[in-house]
């Protein structure tokens, strides 16, 4: 049997690995590539495996870089099941539909921009024989139904009429909805049959709600082979969720191949206990300037953790009780899923909130923004407040509008609370913010391009690394050396080259057999 590595091999996003047992082909995750738009689009379009031959799929958790291509899998010949934990299955009801909506919206917006560009070119060239001035003006009016809604039908009609290329989404909301019918949720610590003499058992990974270590057991001719796939590993001692598993069932301790992420394989996070005090300082400093705090945040996991800590700070009276807006319909829905699964909470959450009859994710100063109109009105609000909005790496979504209205005001703070992948807007803001701070804010402010327009970066950029949902190098090592597992070989994935290489070397120095696969690399067991 063998394992082939297709995604998040030598990079951070697009997790996808294939186990071939000889009788079954089991897929670990089916993630979407994220980063440079054109490069990611090309990668996501190409599915590297014959979907008819995949028996079943194991999903570690619901983040889109691990689950985002499930509709591509299920829409093209796959007849198996997607096996995951119950909280993850519930979260996917919202995550995949939201992803489908984003795919459609991005395609529609790009088609709009391409058509507008074509019309501008006609004006510049003054090609009157093709389209008259009156016709051009009439066409422009046809492109939008109102300020917030494109006239998709009219745009497509004009594209066809002028023989322009039409951008199509990776998948639609309807295809995402169809994919949900392939997903089965199971409890932790329960063996699930996924192939001939092949089972998987889930253990708590602590990364986000429902995230799991997957232990796959294959029995062949009196020989047993086990593979543990970590997915993404969470931190220890963080609020809300239980810590990553260290004690595995006796029958699952001997691992032939341990496949682990390495996002922070050479970095140390700030201590978990400092998160509240770090956030408190940023809030108090910004409110004292009369500004607002804008927090790009993943809708799933990070947003709920922020709400939890803000709730604690407000209850203790440690910061001014300014309004808090969660401007992400997806985050609102995922917060409901958190409320449906208190069995995943740690002891601290039960003691701090549940035993007092309080909901950790709802209090009087928090408002969940739903409509586009409400969101646009909020972007123009000049009073001090906190906005938590997606996407976490500032690549899409409502956060872009909050940034373009707030980034050029030195009273405001852009607070980065998680990992920013290479070639994302979030990474650019992080790097330029650090350079500006190091220079003592001397010289002209750097320019940040948002939705095609440049803005001076005058807002203060702060980063709190401890909010990361990914384990740092010591916590990753703890799973290997501090658990009761006996591991033969370790494959290191889901990390930038420097991070994976450093973590591999670190484990080698401790006597472990490690390797870093590239895309398409295969290992036999």
């Amino acid at each position: 049997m063998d394992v082939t590595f297709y995604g998040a091999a030598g990079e951070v996003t697009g997790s996808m690995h294939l186990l071939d047992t000889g009788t079954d082909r089991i897929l670990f995750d089916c993630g979407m590539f994220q980063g440079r738009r054109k490069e990611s689009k090309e990668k996501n379009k190409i599915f590297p495996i014959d979907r008819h031959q995949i028996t079943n799929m194991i999903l570690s958790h619901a983040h889109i870089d691990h689950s985002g291509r499930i509709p591509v899998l299920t829409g093209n010949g796959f007849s198996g099941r997607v096996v995951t934990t119950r909280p993850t299955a519930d979260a996917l009801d919202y995550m995949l539909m939201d992803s489908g909506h984003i795919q459609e919206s991005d395609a529609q917006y790009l088609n709009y921009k391409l058509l507008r560009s074509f019309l501008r070119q006609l004006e510049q060239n003054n090609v009157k024989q093709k389209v008259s001035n009156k016709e051009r003006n009439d066409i422009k009016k046809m492109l939008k139904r109102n300020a917030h809604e494109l006239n998709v039908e009219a745009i497509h009609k004009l594209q066809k009429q002028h023989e322009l290329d039409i951008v199509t989404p990776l998948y639609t909301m309807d295809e995402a909805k169809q994919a949900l019918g392939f997903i089965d949720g199971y409890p932790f610590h329960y063996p699930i049959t996924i192939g001939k003499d092949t089972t998987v058992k889930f253990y708590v990974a602590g990364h986000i709600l429902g995230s799991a270590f997957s232990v796959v057991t294959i029995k062949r001719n009196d020989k047993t082979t086990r593979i543990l796939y970590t997915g993404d590993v969470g931190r220890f001692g963080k609020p809300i969720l239980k810590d990553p598993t260290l004690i595995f069932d006796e029958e699952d301790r001997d691992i032939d191949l341990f496949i682990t992420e390495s996002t922070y394989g050479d970095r140390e996070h700030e201590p978990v206990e400092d998160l509240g005090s770090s956030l408190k300082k940023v809030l108090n400093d910004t409110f004292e300037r009369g500004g607002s705090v804008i927090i790009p945040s993943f809708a799933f996991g990070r947003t709920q953790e922020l709400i939890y800590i803000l709730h604690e700070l407000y209850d203790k009276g440690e910061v001014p009780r300014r309004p808090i807006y969660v401007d992400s319909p997806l985050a609102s829905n995922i917060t409901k899923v958190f409320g449906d699964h208190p069995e995943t909470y740690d002891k601290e959450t039960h003691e701090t909130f549940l035993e007092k009859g309080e909901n950790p994710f709802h209090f009087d100063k928090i408002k969940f923004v739903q409509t586009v109109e409400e969101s646009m009105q909020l972007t123009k609000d000049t009073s001090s407040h906190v906005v938590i909005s997606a996407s976490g790496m500032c690549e899409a979504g409502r956060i872009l509008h909050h940034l373009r209205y707030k980034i050029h005001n030195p009273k405001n703070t852009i607070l980065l609370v998680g990992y920013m992948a290479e070639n994302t807007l979030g990474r650019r803001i992080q790097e330029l913010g650090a350079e500006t701070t190091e220079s003592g804010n001397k010289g002209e402010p750097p320019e940040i391009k948002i939705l095609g327009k440049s803005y001076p970066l005058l807002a203060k950029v702060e980063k709190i690394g401890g909010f990361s949902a990914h384990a740092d190098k010591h916590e990753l090592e703890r799973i290997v050396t501090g658990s009761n597992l006996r591991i033969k070989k370790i494959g290191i994935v889901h990390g930038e080259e420097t991070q994976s290489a450093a973590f591999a070397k670190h484990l080698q120095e401790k006597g472990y057999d490690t390797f870093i696969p590239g895309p398409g690399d295969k290992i036999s067991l």
Side-chain angles (χ1 to χ4, degrees), residues 23 92 102 120 137 317 361 367 507 511:
T23 55
L92 286 174
I102 290 171
R120 282 197 295 270
N137 289 330
F361 310 110
K367 177 177 174 57
L507 291 179

Side-chain angles (χ1 to χ4, degrees), residues 260-297:
T260 179
E261 67 124 316
S262 56
T263 310
Y264 290 112
D266 194 31
R267 298 180 192 173
E268 297 179 37
H269 292 319
E270 297 172 25
V272 169
E273 55 267 24
D274 290 345
L275 291 179
S277 59
S278 299
L279 183 56
K280 170 185 171 181
K281 185 178 187 309
V282 170
L283 292 173
N284 284 331
D285 288 351
T286 306
F287 293 157
E288 190 174 323
R289 298 195 302 268
S292 294
V293 180
I294 311 302
I295 311 177
S297 178

Side-chain angles (χ1 to χ4, degrees), residues 389-409:
S389 186
S391 71
M393 296 187 193
C394 309
E395 280 297 284
R398 296 182 181 182
I399 188 62
L400 296 177
H401 299 282
H402 290 288
L403 288 173
R404 69 189 183 97
Y405 274 92
K406 298 293 197 298
I407 200 168
H408 48 74
N409 188 336

Side-chain angles (χ1 to χ4, degrees), residues 400-460:
L400 296 177
H401 299 282
H402 290 288
L403 288 173
R404 69 189 183 97
Y405 274 92
K406 298 293 197 298
I407 200 168
H408 48 74
N409 188 336
K411 291 183 179 180
N412 298 325
T413 298
I414 300 169
L415 176 58
L416 306 178
V417 292
Y419 178 77
M420 299 292 162
E422 288 183 317
N423 307 312
T424 61
L425 176 59
R427 174 68 76 91
R428 180 162 174 76
I429 291 172
Q430 176 183 316
E431 292 174 345
L432 291 179
E435 290 174 11
T436 300
T437 300
E438 288 172 9
S439 70
N441 297 305
K442 295 179 181 178
E444 291 295 315
E447 296 281 322
I448 297 285
K449 184 170 283 189
I450 304 171
L451 296 173
K453 185 177 179 181
S454 293
Y455 300 85
L457 176 56
L458 291 170
K460 189 171 184 179

Side-chain angles (χ1 to χ4, degrees), residues 15 17 28-29 60 66 212-215 227-231 259 493:
S15 290
H17 317 293
F28 290 105
D29 286 349
S60 64
H66 291 257
F213 297 146
S214 306
V215 177
I227 298 168
L228 192 156
Y229 173 56
T230 68
I259 305 171
V493 298

Side-chain angles (χ1 to χ4, degrees), residues 121-416:
Q121 191 65 43
L122 285 182
E123 289 175 348
Q124 291 170 4
N125 295 337
N126 195 27
V127 187
K128 292 184 179 180
Q129 67 269 27
K130 284 191 176 181
V131 183
S132 69
N133 287 332
K134 181 178 184 306
E135 287 173 327
R136 280 197 294 271
N137 289 330
D138 289 342
I139 287 170
K140 289 179 182 179
K141 291 177 183 178
M142 292 173 60
L143 301 186
K144 284 191 173 183
R145 296 186 189 278
N146 54 52
H148 308 298
E149 184 182 3
L150 297 175
N151 190 335
V152 177
E153 294 81 6
I155 291 170
H156 283 182
K157 181 179 179 180
L158 288 165
Q159 286 178 303
K160 291 178 181 178
Q161 179 182 331
H162 295 287
E163 299 180 347
L164 301 175
D165 290 336
I166 297 177
V167 178
T168 57
L170 183 63
Y171 52 85
T172 65
M173 290 183 70
D174 284 343
E175 289 166 330
K177 186 176 182 179
Q178 181 185 32
L180 295 175
F182 287 80
I183 297 165
D184 296 328
Y186 291 90
F188 288 93
H189 302 280
Y190 178 84
I192 308 143
T193 299
I194 54 171
K196 183 181 179 182
D197 299 319
T198 304
T199 61
V200 63
K201 190 188 294 183
F202 296 122
Y203 291 85
V204 172
H207 174 61
I208 59 171
L209 183 78
S211 62
F213 297 146
S214 306
V215 177
V216 176
T217 301
I218 309 106
K219 295 183 178 181
R220 291 285 189 279
N221 302 321
D222 298 325
K223 180 187 177 184
T224 299
T225 303
R226 287 187 186 85
I227 298 168
L228 192 156
Y229 173 56
T230 68
D232 287 348
V233 182
R235 300 199 62 197
F236 290 86
K238 290 192 76 176
I240 306 175
L241 299 178
K242 295 174 182 177
D243 286 350
T245 301
L246 291 176
I247 304 301
F248 293 79
D249 295 341
E250 183 62 34
E251 65 269 22
D252 293 329
R253 291 180 61 188
D254 292 304
I255 303 298
D256 296 278
L257 176 61
F258 183 92
I259 305 171
T260 179
E261 67 124 316
S262 56
T263 310
Y264 290 112
D266 194 31
R267 298 180 192 173
E268 297 179 37
H269 292 319
E270 297 172 25
V272 169
E273 55 267 24
D274 290 345
L275 291 179
S277 59
S278 299
L279 183 56
K280 170 185 171 181
K281 185 178 187 309
V282 170
L283 292 173
N284 284 331
D285 288 351
T286 306
F287 293 157
E288 190 174 323
R289 298 195 302 268
S292 294
V293 180
I294 311 302
I295 311 177
S297 178
F298 293 112
F300 192 173
R302 191 72 40 78
T303 292
Q304 291 74 32
E305 187 177 354
L306 284 164
I307 293 171
Y308 182 101
I309 296 176
L310 287 166
H311 194 168
E312 284 192 304
L313 291 174
Y314 277 45
D315 277 358
K316 294 175 183 177
E318 296 187 6
V319 296
R321 293 174 61 83
R322 301 289 189 263
I324 301 167
Y325 298 95
V326 178
D327 190 9
S328 165
L330 176 60
S332 302
N333 288 324
I334 292 297
T335 303
K336 295 175 187 174
V337 177
F338 267 77
D340 292 338
H341 290 280
E343 75 278 6
T344 64
Y345 300 170
D346 60 14
K347 183 179 178 183
E348 178 190 356
T349 304
H350 279 272
E351 292 176 348
T352 304
F353 292 107
L354 269 64
E355 292 177 8
K356 298 175 183 177
E358 293 185 51
N359 185 328
F361 310 110
H362 288 276
F363 55 105
D364 62 336
K365 284 297 178 180
I366 194 162
K367 177 177 174 57
F368 292 89
V369 179
Q370 295 295 335
T371 68
V372 173
E373 289 75 18
E374 288 179 302
S375 177
M376 294 306 295
Q377 186 176 355
L378 176 60
T379 62
K380 300 169 186 176
D381 187 345
T382 57
S383 63
S384 289
H385 56 264
V386 177
V387 173
I388 305 169
S389 186
S391 71
M393 296 187 193
C394 309
E395 280 297 284
R398 296 182 181 182
I399 188 62
L400 296 177
H401 299 282
H402 290 288
L403 288 173
R404 69 189 183 97
Y405 274 92
K406 298 293 197 298
I407 200 168
H408 48 74
N409 188 336
K411 291 183 179 180
N412 298 325
T413 298
I414 300 169
L415 176 58
L416 306 178

Side-chain angles (χ1 to χ4, degrees), residues 27-44:
L27 197 64
F28 290 105
D29 286 349
C30 191
M32 187 178 291
F33 290 97
Q34 296 168 313
R36 285 195 180 100
R37 182 183 291 271
K38 185 176 180 180
E39 181 183 352
S40 296
K41 181 183 177 183
E42 291 305 312
K43 285 184 175 182
N44 287 323

